[in-house]
Amino acid sequence: MSHAITHEESLDQFSEQIQFVLNTYTPHNLNLNKYSNIVLGGLGGSGIGAKIASDFMQSSLSVPTQLISDYNLPAYVSEKTLIILSSYSGNTEETLSLLAQAIEKHCDIVAITAGGKLLDACNKSGYKTYDIELGFQPRMTLGYSLSTLFLIFGELAGIDFTSDLQKVIEDLADKEVLKQKAKTIIDTFKGFENDKYVTICDGKTFAAGTRFCQQLQENAKAEGFLSILPENNHNMIESYYGAHKTNFILFNSETNDRVNKRFGFIKELLIKNNNRVFDLSFNDFSVAEIYKAIYILDWVSVYLTDERGEDNMLIPNIIDLKGFLSN
């Protein structure tokens, strides 16, 4: 029986995923001027890379992008829509539903997958595909999908992200420092590991914060929630009276002075009311720093697995749901 890659191993080898993409990426040769919009399709560990990359590219792309994590394409999709689909297994039923609709609407299609029906259908129709190596659980493969998406988007926008991704590989060479940062976060919440986790983010960190919540949920079986500024200040702030059974993480891109002030106020308010708060805000919002933050928070979810006495390789509820839906 082949060895199942653990989350710890996948994180220790994370830079190898990025290097694989740099070694194997080939141009798609698509022209952004041809499209009115871009729709990305994917769920869970396969979909979140699309959200991170597309959000980062909002200021560089001249057409709108939207991530669909569901069965149906929006009504506006047409032959002037570029569809980018991501499914590690290639058999995600929602993503295959999007593929069928995209084919009916005569869209240009690009797929990121390790195989399955998605790869077979794209190869049959001549659509561009990008490979992911086999042997992982889907949520372990973000390095493949996210790096590929940055190169896909970069090619569309006329931006070369190669040096950015090489910088990530260099940064991850010092992974013990990043793992220690993750342990520092865990230590902040020592004795309260079983409380829920709320990540307070802004618009630019929303996708990476979502990734953290997903990892908390799937790996550590912990409740992870996201709260976004400035919206939080118009409603959720009114729940911040007294101490909560919550571990708060602040995740500010520090790209907007007004939002920075709001983060400062929230931090002071939470601490004043004896809440546990860890500030993981950015000093430099860049591709390399996004990867580093994701890497640190992935390790947090893995370390928290041990603290909570869980097994991050097992996902029985998800398996049961798939069985239920297959009947």
Side-chain angles (χ1 to χ4, degrees), residues 146-163:
L146 180 57
S147 303
T148 302
L149 283 157
F150 269 120
L151 294 180
I152 290 172
F153 278 125
E155 190 180 341
L156 288 168
I159 301 170
D160 186 358
F161 283 109
T162 301
S163 60

Side-chain angles (χ1 to χ4, degrees), residues 167-185:
K167 174 69 164 56
V168 175
I169 293 172
E170 293 171 8
D171 290 345
L172 294 184
D174 202 6
K175 60 189 174 188
E176 293 304 320
V177 171
L178 303 179
K179 290 164 74 171
Q180 186 56 51
K181 185 70 171 283
K183 290 177 181 177
T184 301
I185 296 174

Side-chain angles (χ1 to χ4, degrees), residues 22-35:
L22 289 174
N23 291 344
T24 61
Y25 183 86
T26 56
H28 52 66
N29 296 318
L30 299 172
N31 190 325
L32 186 62
N33 294 330
K34 180 181 177 181
Y35 306 111

Side-chain angles (χ1 to χ4, degrees), residues 16-294:
E16 296 176 19
Q17 297 186 21
I18 304 168
Q19 190 63 60
F20 175 88
V21 172
L22 289 174
N23 291 344
T24 61
Y25 183 86
T26 56
H28 52 66
N29 296 318
L30 299 172
N31 190 325
L32 186 62
N33 294 330
K34 180 181 177 181
Y35 306 111
S36 299
N37 46 71
I38 300 172
V39 170
L40 305 104
L43 293 96
S46 296
I48 191 59
K51 180 65 175 169
I52 295 168
S54 61
D55 280 5
F56 187 87
M57 293 299 297
Q58 280 185 354
S59 60
S60 302
L61 292 173
S62 57
V63 300
T65 64
Q66 183 178 2
L67 172 65
I68 304 297
S69 300
D70 208 331
Y71 290 91
N72 297 309
L73 290 174
Y76 65 75
V77 168
S78 69
E79 68 277 1
K80 291 186 177 181
T81 301
L82 172 61
I83 303 288
I84 304 175
L85 301 176
S86 180
S87 168
Y88 179 62
S89 69
N91 294 317
T92 307
E93 64 177 69
E94 299 94 330
T95 307
L96 292 175
S97 175
L98 298 180
L99 172 66
Q101 294 167 54
I103 292 172
E104 285 183 5
K105 290 177 177 286
H106 306 289
C107 303
D108 284 345
I109 299 170
V110 174
I112 304 168
T113 184
K117 295 177 181 178
L118 177 60
L119 181 61
D120 291 342
C122 288
N123 285 342
K124 180 179 179 181
S125 299
Y127 299 125
K128 179 69 175 177
T129 61
Y130 291 97
D131 294 334
I132 300 177
E133 292 181 295
L134 291 168
F136 299 88
Q137 292 193 11
R139 63 192 181 280
M140 300 179 188
T141 63
L142 184 65
Y144 294 109
S145 60
L146 180 57
S147 303
T148 302
L149 283 157
F150 269 120
L151 294 180
I152 290 172
F153 278 125
E155 190 180 341
L156 288 168
I159 301 170
D160 186 358
F161 283 109
T162 301
S163 60
D164 297 85
L165 295 177
Q166 290 171 337
K167 174 69 164 56
V168 175
I169 293 172
E170 293 171 8
D171 290 345
L172 294 184
D174 202 6
K175 60 189 174 188
E176 293 304 320
V177 171
L178 303 179
K179 290 164 74 171
Q180 186 56 51
K181 185 70 171 283
K183 290 177 181 177
T184 301
I185 296 174
I186 291 292
D187 288 344
T188 300
F189 305 132
K190 194 75 174 176
F192 302 94
E193 297 87 355
N194 293 322
D195 287 353
K196 69 176 180 288
Y197 293 77
V198 170
T199 301
I200 301 177
C201 63
D202 63 5
K204 290 186 179 295
T205 59
F206 178 82
T210 300
R211 161 71 174 185
F212 179 47
C213 290
Q214 291 174 343
Q215 293 292 85
L216 286 174
Q217 294 156 358
E218 204 165 350
N219 288 341
K221 322 306 177 195
E223 288 188 295
F225 301 94
L226 209 58
S227 176
I228 186 168
L229 289 176
E231 179 64 26
N232 165 300
N233 288 168
H234 294 267
N235 35 65
M236 194 170 181
I237 192 173
E238 275 302 306
S239 68
Y240 295 162
Y241 295 99
H244 290 241
K245 291 185 177 180
T246 302
N247 299 313
F248 290 96
I249 294 177
L250 303 184
F251 202 25
N252 179 14
S253 69
E254 297 198 0
T255 56
N256 184 292
D257 289 341
R258 298 297 294 171
V259 175
N260 291 345
K261 288 189 174 228
R262 293 173 183 272
F263 267 100
F265 182 90
I266 287 289
K267 182 176 182 178
E268 183 178 341
L269 177 65
L270 289 171
I271 292 174
K272 180 178 69 176
N273 284 291
N274 298 313
N275 288 286
R276 298 175 298 280
V277 180
F278 189 92
D279 193 341
L280 190 65
S281 297
F282 286 82
N283 293 320
D284 169 36
F285 188 73
S286 63
V287 171
E289 291 301 310
I290 290 172
Y291 273 85
K292 283 171 62 176
I294 290 170

